[in-house]
Amino acid sequence: EFLMKIQILGTAAGEGWPALFCNCTACQKARTLGGKNIRTRSSLQIDDLLKVDFPPDSLSHANQYGLEFHKLEYLLITHSHSDHLDANGLEFLTQPYSVPPRYDSLRIFGNDTSISSIRTAINRAYSAYPGFLNTVEPYSSISLDAYEITVVKANHKPDEIALNYMITKDHSSVLYACDTGYYDSATWEYLQDKRVDLVISECTEGPNRADYLTHMGYPDVLEFREKALKIGLVDTGTPWILTHFSHGGGLMHDELEALVEPEGFRVAWDGMVVETG
């Protein structure tokens, strides 16, 4: 019996890959090769009940992977960027689009910017439904039945406190570190007494070092993992999966694998299922 079934529903940065309007070499190549090189916007689902982020590709994810979002009980939003939060799409959980409507059975968590953009998009009395929309702060934890959620401060948006989430079920924990650069010292300090069994982290820039602090490429991920090892968040055997790739990184799926697998990383593809336990 597996403790958590984790499905990685999308593995691209905001523009997708092949990117929406792009005809660069990396996008041309992905179109030609297809398969794992076709990447939609990033999201994560755990079991049938919990989802992290709600990208514009959510409808196609549901249809492609046979997901039943009417069963979702918890939706955790990392930040308000449109590739992670399609706020307008959440209107479809209300009447008459959803029968029955879901605002009384789904609980949504996010920072104040994300929650207020959902409130604006839905713009109905439903948004005031008790327990439906919940603002969360970094360094807090939330108990959601079988899941314990630890809210981690990401290093991503200068004008907004972006979030990462550590999700624990039956003493098995995954850290989803998407849309973040190298954590700041307060975040590392907070994680010092924590421990995870799996990390799924971004690697937006592929093989290249990110030339800004709000994302990571492979050299940054190596430093991130080194710090995580140093504080005991992971050990040398902890599985680590890379996701959230931009076409700017240039490498196809198998080329990325060839680069990172010798160091013990795995490369995510759309629809990849990971089971912990």
Side-chain angles (χ1 to χ4, degrees):
E1 176 64 17
F2 289 102
L3 302 181
M4 281 194 271
K5 177 190 171 188
I6 298 169
Q7 189 162 21
I8 300 172
L9 302 180
T11 55
E15 64 281 355
W17 189 351
L20 264 174
F21 295 99
C22 183
N23 198 33
C24 75
T25 312
C27 287
Q28 288 175 24
K29 206 168 169 184
R31 276 188 201 104
T32 306
L33 291 170
K36 293 177 179 177
N37 299 295
I38 305 293
R39 300 182 183 278
T40 57
R41 272 69 65 93
S42 297
S43 176
L44 192 74
Q45 183 156 328
I46 296 181
D47 306 323
D48 290 327
L49 303 180
L50 188 149
K51 186 171 179 348
V52 184
D53 283 337
F54 188 75
D57 300 310
S58 295
L59 176 63
S60 60
H61 290 162
N63 293 335
Q64 191 168 354
Y65 305 122
L67 305 171
E68 297 180 285
F69 288 161
H70 60 269
K71 293 181 178 173
L72 281 177
E73 292 182 10
Y74 313 112
L75 176 58
L76 312 178
I77 303 295
T78 56
H79 62 300
S80 68
H81 275 156
S82 62
D83 56 320
H84 293 261
L85 173 58
D86 172 20
N88 292 323
L90 287 171
E91 185 181 7
F92 300 120
L93 53 74
T94 66
Q95 288 165 307
Y97 312 110
S98 172
V99 182
R102 308 258 44 109
Y103 51 84
D104 57 348
S105 57
L106 179 67
R107 297 173 66 191
I108 302 178
F109 300 84
N111 63 25
D112 50 5
T113 315
S114 302
I115 294 300
S116 57
S117 63
I118 296 168
R119 216 180 280 284
T120 305
I122 292 181
N123 192 22
R124 299 172 183 223
Y126 311 137
S127 68
Y129 201 92
F132 175 44
L133 298 178
N134 306 274
T135 303
V136 292
E137 302 284 338
Y139 317 129
S140 64
S141 51
I142 326 157
S143 292
L144 305 175
D145 294 332
Y147 307 99
E148 188 69 28
I149 312 299
T150 303
V151 185
V152 176
K153 181 176 177 286
N155 178 11
H156 182 59
K157 227 173 162 284
D159 57 340
E160 176 185 335
I161 296 174
L163 307 174
N164 285 170
Y165 295 100
M166 192 175 133
I167 300 156
T168 305
K169 181 186 175 189
D170 297 334
H171 309 295
S172 184
S173 295
V174 55
L175 171 65
Y176 187 52
C178 210
D179 275 46
T180 184
Y182 189 86
Y183 287 152
D184 63 23
S185 53
T187 302
W188 286 122
E189 203 170 307
Y190 175 68
L191 291 170
Q192 208 136 21
D193 58 346
K194 310 276 191 290
R195 173 73 204 221
V196 295
D197 305 290
L198 169 66
V199 178
I200 302 172
S201 83
E202 73 141 83
C203 188
T204 305
E205 296 302 321
N208 311 315
R209 184 176 285 285
D211 54 5
Y212 41 82
L213 299 172
T214 56
H215 274 302
M216 293 189 284
Y218 186 51
D220 309 291
V221 172
L222 285 168
E223 288 173 10
F224 189 99
R225 183 173 71 168
E226 199 175 306
K227 180 68 173 181
L229 280 163
K230 193 174 174 186
I231 64 167
L233 181 67
V234 297
D235 62 35
T236 51
T238 306
W240 197 300
I241 298 171
L242 303 178
T243 187
H244 197 276
F245 301 104
S246 165
H247 65 145
L251 297 186
M252 296 299 104
H253 183 87
D254 58 353
E255 296 170 324
L256 274 166
E257 284 186 332
L259 173 69
V260 307
E261 282 186 348
E263 283 294 327
F265 294 96
R266 294 178 69 194
V267 179
W269 62 87
D270 282 25
M272 178 185 195
V273 173
V274 191
E275 288 170 325
T276 69

